[in-house]
């Protein structure tokens, strides 16, 4: 497993923990109401699970498992993938902050940064979607 | 493929089918002339997809294919992994039944069961993280 995948999968696991914790709090609050303020955690919960956990895990595993290039660098432009990892997590944290504090500017900034992360991974992974040995 | 991975993935497929059927009923409420109470299943629908299907599929494949923990315990703690499977599914099934009931018939006082569902799913998530963490490593 390449180092970037280790970082992405472990970060995804942390988001899984955060997302499940927020989700458990929301569900418990639905069963035995503690505070209406807990509902502010709904969108951070969704963001942590959708982007932080699922999306990040898929990208990290794709970086590991897609066919490698026969010559070095065998994983392609690794710096671009690292940039994508940093941008993705910056974006997720910005969106979570934006949703929690009801700041549209922060959420928008986060979505833009996430968009850049998607573009970085698309460019990085595109040439590796090919037949084995090519 | 280890037996537990087969259980995770087959359970995931069942939730996927159930979620697709539920989604059809929710979206087609008007055409099918279903009562508005069908909307009480909306949160359950999303969680059947994301927890029951997507997360459980990931758990099953990760348990099978991630780098080995050690020669003695290649997949980490097998007992913990089974406990994750049982807790996740017990929690999700409990939610599937209790949440719509609570939303449509609040007088039933089933809130405590929803708390139990939350706890079971949370424990499953934490158990999976603990068991998987050491298997995420460079060669």
């Amino acid at each position: 497993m390449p180092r970037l995948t280790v970082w992405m999968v472990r970060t995804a696991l942390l988001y899984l923990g955060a997302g499940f914790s927020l989700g458990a709090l929301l569900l418990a609050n639905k069963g035995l109401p503690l505070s209406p303020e807990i509902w502010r955690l709904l969108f951070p919960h969704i963001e942590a699970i959708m982007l932080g956990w699922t999306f990040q895990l898929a990208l990290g595993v794709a970086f590991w498992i897609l066919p490698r290039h026969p010559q070095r660098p065998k994983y392609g432009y690794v710096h671009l993938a690292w940039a994508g990892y940093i941008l993705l997590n910056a974006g997720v944290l910005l969106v979570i902050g934006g949703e929690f504090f009801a700041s549209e500017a922060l959420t928008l900034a986060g979505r833009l940064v996430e968009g850049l992360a998607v573009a970085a991974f698309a460019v990085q992974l595109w040439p590796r979607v090919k037949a084995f040995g090519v | 493929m280890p037996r537990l991975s087969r259980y995770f993935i087959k359970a995931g497929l069942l939730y996927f089918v159930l979620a697709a059927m539920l989604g059809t009923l929710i979206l087609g409420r008007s055409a099918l002339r279903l009562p508005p109470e069908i909307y009480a299943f909306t949160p359950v629908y999303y969680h059947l997809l994301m927890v029951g299907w997507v997360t459980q599929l990931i758990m099953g494949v990760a348990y099978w294919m991630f780098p080995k923990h050690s020669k003695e315990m290649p997949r980490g703690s097998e007992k913990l992994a089974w406990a994750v499977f049982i807790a996740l599914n017990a929690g999700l099934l409990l939610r599937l039944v209790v949440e719509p009931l609570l939303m449509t018939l609040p007088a039933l006082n089933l809130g405590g069961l929803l708390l139990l569902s939350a706890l079971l799913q949370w424990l499953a998530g934490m158990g999976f993280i603990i068991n998987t963490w050491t298997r995420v490593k460079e060669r």
Side-chain angles (χ1 to χ4, degrees):
Chain A
M1 193 181 267
R3 184 169 297 172
L4 176 64
T5 298
V6 172
W7 278 76
M8 290 191 80
V9 174
R10 285 193 170 175
T11 309
L13 286 171
L14 292 177
Y15 277 115
L16 174 71
F20 262 48
S21 298
L22 296 180
L25 202 54
L26 284 158
L27 188 60
N29 187 54
K30 210 180 257 190
L32 300 171
L34 300 166
S35 162
E37 284 293 297
I38 288 178
W39 280 107
R40 287 171 64 188
L41 300 173
L42 178 62
F43 288 105
H45 158 66
I46 294 170
E47 186 72 11
I49 291 294
M50 297 295 288
L51 276 288
W53 160 235
T54 314
F55 193 85
Q56 178 148 233
L57 183 100
L59 285 170
V61 172
F63 182 80
W64 169 32
I65 231 150
L66 284 175
R68 287 166 223 159
H69 299 304
Q71 285 98 27
R72 287 181 176 272
K74 56 183 183 172
Y75 287 104
Y77 300 111
V78 177
H79 295 306
L80 191 58
W82 275 102
Y85 165 71
I86 293 164
L87 287 168
L88 176 67
N89 286 288
V92 170
L93 290 175
L94 281 170
V95 171
I96 286 175
E99 296 290 357
F100 185 76
F101 296 110
S103 162
E104 281 186 16
L106 215 54
T107 304
L108 180 64
R111 288 279 179 243
L112 287 171
V113 174
E114 285 173 355
L116 289 173
V118 170
F121 275 108
V123 171
Q124 207 281 336
L125 294 173
W126 189 275
R128 290 181 54 197
V129 182
K130 58 181 185 175
F132 282 105
V134 177
Chain B
M1 188 189 288
R3 187 179 348 159
L4 181 57
S5 288
R6 298 201 301 272
Y7 273 61
F8 266 124
I9 295 169
K10 285 188 172 174
L13 286 167
L14 291 176
Y15 286 119
F16 189 26
V17 171
L18 193 59
M21 287 163 60
L22 203 50
T24 305
L25 293 178
I26 292 168
L27 285 173
R29 185 189 82 83
S30 303
L32 299 168
R33 296 184 183 174
L34 295 170
E37 283 78 13
I38 192 76
Y39 288 131
F41 283 91
T42 304
V44 165
Y45 161 64
Y46 288 124
H47 287 86
L48 287 179
L49 271 182
M50 285 310 299
V51 179
W53 164 233
V54 178
T55 296
Q56 193 151 219
L57 179 78
I58 291 169
M59 287 177 170
V61 174
Y63 184 72
W64 169 31
M65 298 202 84
F66 271 16
K68 303 284 179 273
H69 172 77
S70 64
K71 269 188 182 171
E72 299 75 30
M73 295 169 69
R75 295 192 166 85
S77 164
E78 205 172 320
K79 280 183 187 164
L80 180 57
W82 276 100
V84 166
F85 174 76
I86 292 165
L88 188 79
N89 285 284
L92 191 56
L93 288 172
L94 197 57
R95 178 178 196 164
L96 170 68
V97 176
V98 173
E99 191 175 25
L101 274 175
L102 194 72
M103 287 170 81
T104 47
L105 302 165
L108 284 178
N109 272 332
L110 297 171
L113 288 177
L114 219 47
L115 189 69
L116 178 63
S117 162
L119 182 65
L120 284 168
Q121 291 179 81
W122 183 79
L123 286 172
M126 297 306 125
F128 175 74
I129 293 166
I130 290 167
N131 213 27
T132 307
W133 191 268
T134 52
R135 293 183 60 192
V136 182
K137 57 187 178 185
E138 292 182 64
R139 245 182 252 192

